[in-house]
Amino acid sequence: MDKKFRVQQWTMLLITMFCYLFFYTGRHNFGWAAKGMAADLHIPYTTIGWISFSMLLGYSIGQLINGNLADRLSARLMVSVGAYLSILTNITISFSNSAVMIMLLWALNGYFQSMAWAPGAKLINNWWSEKERGKAFGFYTMAAGLSSVVTYLLSIILLQQGYEWRMLFRLPVLLLLISATAFLIIARDKPSVKTDSSASLAPSITWVERYRMVLKNKKFMVTSLGFGFESMARYGLIFWVPVHYLGNNWKDNPGNLWVTFLLPVGMAAGALTFGMLSDSLFKKDRIKAIAFGMLVSAVIAILIYISPAHNLWLGGGLMLLAGFFVYGPQACFWPLSPDLLGSNLTGTGIGFMNMIGYLFAAFGEPLLGYAIDVTGSSNSIFIVIAVLCLLSCLSVWTVRSMKG
């Protein structure tokens, strides 16, 4: 392989990772703001769950639209515009006092945030061949995991410094402004020389036909179902774990905050590890890798439920493992889009799969909020998460027995 092209490959992957590294500062900040928002606006956690639902629904709809657009438009421009609009929406939310207004703005933010993942994946697929696709998507998914790490870290620091919940929507997104601008300047949609990973469909293929081709692939549809349950479990952890630990009188026990920090650390490590293992240990059998990860995740969720809350060392270790195994399989889901559909439908496929994932996650948020309100304990979320992980495992495993 030409050395110059190799450098360009890594440059495109790294700048896309750098941009996405700060995308969650405009999305995963909500879980940390939820407790202060609920108290300040005098709203129950069920309402908080519906606000979170609105963003996930907006993100889900956006994935369906923007994934298809990524196969036709400039990924570089889509990612950058989405970032700028998300920053503006976050700052506007920080000045809002109405739960309804916040819900509407948060739904818009979900759509703007959806302009990044599938287009970024399309760009990476254009630069990396099938031979190294698992590795490339593993790095990309790791950046998303590290984005949670960055957001959690910044949120913890701001809360410990006494900042109110509104500042969580103003300060962290400034880093996204920097990374998105760098991406806009450096990124290129595809190599100047055509490669096996940058082919394009004939002009006669319409956007409707792209969707039809995805919907006709039964294996991909069942895989997307499994991804839906995985996403419900993942967001159940990302959003409600901070609420769970903030409720344990965290100012008297600041160690609780750092237990939650280990969750995204495990996610980042799991993404990179599973991406590489799917190419090596599992010999590109990504279904087997996903099923293994989700089965272990279910066991870990049950262990968290029965473990003593005051044991921070045990809690921290379990949070690290939970993040590793519930998020790691995502690195194996993404390559299944080009694997099952072909490179020409990468954006549409990833957008559709992510749409299913976030649609499921959206309905999971108010459900989990309701479970906390009814049981009076945030610990109940871990039983629900264990069930979701098992459903994901069973769903993807059925793909192995499907024909075609």
Side-chain angles (χ1 to χ4, degrees):
M1 181 180 293
D2 180 75
K3 185 177 180 180
K4 181 179 179 181
F5 178 73
R6 191 63 169 174
V7 171
Q8 290 177 327
Q9 268 189 317
W10 279 102
T11 300
M12 293 306 106
L13 176 58
L14 291 174
I15 192 60
T16 307
M17 289 172 60
F18 177 67
C19 182
Y20 212 80
L21 179 64
F22 300 104
F23 245 88
Y24 287 176
T25 59
R27 181 155 107 235
H28 288 180
N29 51 343
F30 188 79
W32 292 98
K35 187 175 179 64
M37 182 186 293
D40 189 23
L41 303 182
H42 307 291
I43 54 180
Y45 279 121
T46 302
T47 301
I48 291 292
W50 280 112
I51 294 175
S52 182
F53 165 89
S54 71
M55 187 281 290
L56 294 170
L57 184 62
Y59 192 95
S60 177
I61 294 171
Q63 282 296 321
L64 183 63
I65 297 171
N66 293 315
N68 192 304
L69 290 177
D71 283 326
R72 295 183 290 157
L73 303 180
S74 167
R76 170 175 159 267
L77 292 178
M78 289 184 69
V79 172
S80 302
V81 170
Y84 294 145
L85 290 174
S86 178
I87 293 167
L88 180 61
T89 307
N90 267 266
I91 293 175
T92 304
I93 286 173
S94 73
F95 291 99
S96 300
N97 291 302
S98 164
V100 174
M101 180 59 66
I102 291 174
M103 184 178 296
L104 292 174
L105 289 170
W106 202 231
L108 282 175
N109 183 59
Y111 183 86
F112 298 146
Q113 284 268 323
S114 76
M115 296 173 70
W117 184 256
K122 178 65 176 181
L123 187 148
I124 291 172
N125 187 73
N126 284 343
W127 283 90
W128 291 81
S129 67
E130 181 181 1
K131 182 180 178 182
E132 296 181 292
R133 191 172 286 153
K135 177 176 69 177
F137 276 96
F139 274 102
Y140 186 37
T141 311
M142 179 188 70
L146 287 174
S147 190
S148 290
V149 173
V150 170
T151 306
Y152 269 50
L153 179 61
L154 291 173
S155 299
I156 289 171
I157 292 173
L158 290 174
L159 287 174
Q160 288 190 330
Q161 292 299 315
Y163 287 97
E164 64 168 339
W165 64 270
R166 298 178 187 275
M167 300 306 293
L168 298 177
F169 291 98
R170 298 174 189 172
L171 298 181
V173 290
L174 297 179
L175 292 173
L176 177 57
L177 177 63
I178 296 172
S179 67
T181 302
F183 178 82
L184 179 63
I185 295 171
I186 298 173
R188 295 295 179 268
D189 289 310
K190 58 185 177 181
S192 56
V193 178
K194 189 174 181 179
T195 67
D196 63 340
S197 59
S198 60
S200 59
L201 283 173
S204 59
I205 301 298
T206 67
W207 64 272
V208 175
E209 289 173 319
R210 290 178 189 274
Y211 285 130
R212 186 178 294 117
M213 292 167 71
V214 170
L215 292 171
K216 286 172 62 178
N217 192 307
K218 294 181 180 179
K219 282 190 173 183
F220 186 78
M221 294 300 292
V222 176
T223 299
S224 296
L225 178 64
F227 182 74
F229 289 122
E230 186 273 344
S231 296
M232 288 181 79
R234 173 196 170 210
Y235 256 86
L237 290 173
I238 288 174
F239 183 81
W240 293 105
V241 160
V243 174
H244 176 67
Y245 280 97
L246 285 173
N248 289 337
N249 197 17
W250 69 270
K251 290 185 178 180
D252 292 336
N253 299 283
N256 286 334
L257 292 183
W258 295 106
V259 169
T260 67
F261 179 68
L262 293 174
L263 175 68
V265 171
M267 288 182 173
L272 180 60
T273 303
F274 268 82
M276 291 184 170
L277 288 179
S278 71
D279 280 343
S280 56
L281 179 64
F282 291 99
K283 302 184 185 304
K284 293 186 173 60
D285 189 342
R286 310 193 201 281
I287 296 297
K288 183 184 291 186
I290 292 169
F292 170 74
M294 299 317 299
L295 181 61
V296 175
S297 295
V299 174
I300 293 171
I302 293 173
L303 290 176
I304 295 174
Y305 176 78
I306 63 176
S307 64
H310 63 272
N311 191 327
L312 295 183
W313 285 104
L314 178 60
L318 289 173
M319 278 296 151
L320 185 70
L321 290 174
F324 185 94
F325 285 101
V326 81
Y327 188 58
Q330 278 220 6
C332 303
F333 273 108
W334 306 124
L336 284 172
S337 177
D339 286 355
L340 296 174
L341 300 171
S343 293
N344 293 319
L345 292 172
T346 296
T348 305
I350 287 179
F352 181 87
M353 182 184 289
N354 223 6
M355 181 272 292
I356 294 296
Y358 278 86
L359 189 62
F360 273 53
F363 283 99
E365 293 303 279
L367 174 65
L368 289 168
Y370 178 73
I372 294 175
D373 285 337
V374 170
T375 63
S377 171
S378 56
N379 198 39
S380 59
I381 64 173
F382 297 110
I383 289 296
V384 179
I385 288 170
V387 173
L388 295 172
C389 290
L390 288 175
L391 289 173
S392 177
C393 177
L394 292 172
S395 296
V396 296
W397 195 252
T398 60
V399 176
R400 295 175 63 86
S401 60
M402 296 177 67
K403 297 180 180 180

